[in-house]
Amino acid sequence: YNDIGQYIEAINLFNKSLKLYRDCGEHTSWLYAATLTHLGNALIQVRQYKSAISQFHESLKLFKKDNLKRNEP
């Protein structure tokens, strides 16, 4: 949805994905951090800059904290 300009739908789906990751205990995984980044990108498109920055900070914190790598669970 992000790629075709349907940012609100993309934001909703990213938020659902993040909830699923949290519910499964995957809130520190590479995929969780990457989803936060994608959510931030979509938020920029709808001019929700403060929310986007918050997502980017959380994502960066996860990547730095555990030195997450793409191949790790």
Side-chain angles (χ1 to χ4, degrees):
Y1 292 95
N2 221 11
D3 289 341
I4 60 174
Q6 295 182 358
Y7 302 112
I8 299 299
E9 183 64 21
I11 290 166
N12 290 334
L13 292 173
F14 288 137
N15 280 318
K16 285 181 182 180
S17 295
L18 292 170
K19 182 183 182 322
L20 287 171
Y21 288 131
R22 286 190 299 271
D23 290 348
C24 294
E26 294 291 326
H27 58 281
T28 58
S29 71
W30 182 89
L31 288 172
Y32 185 83
T35 303
L36 288 169
T37 301
H38 293 304
L39 174 58
N41 289 333
L43 288 166
I44 285 174
Q45 297 302 318
V46 296
R47 299 180 180 191
Q48 293 184 21
Y49 302 115
K50 288 183 181 180
S51 293
I53 289 169
S54 175
Q55 303 310 311
F56 293 141
H57 280 296
E58 187 175 348
S59 176
L60 184 60
K61 184 170 61 174
L62 285 171
F63 280 121
K64 283 184 174 181
K65 177 182 175 190
D66 296 320
N67 194 22
L68 293 177
K69 295 185 177 124
R70 189 175 200 163
N71 296 330
E72 293 180 0

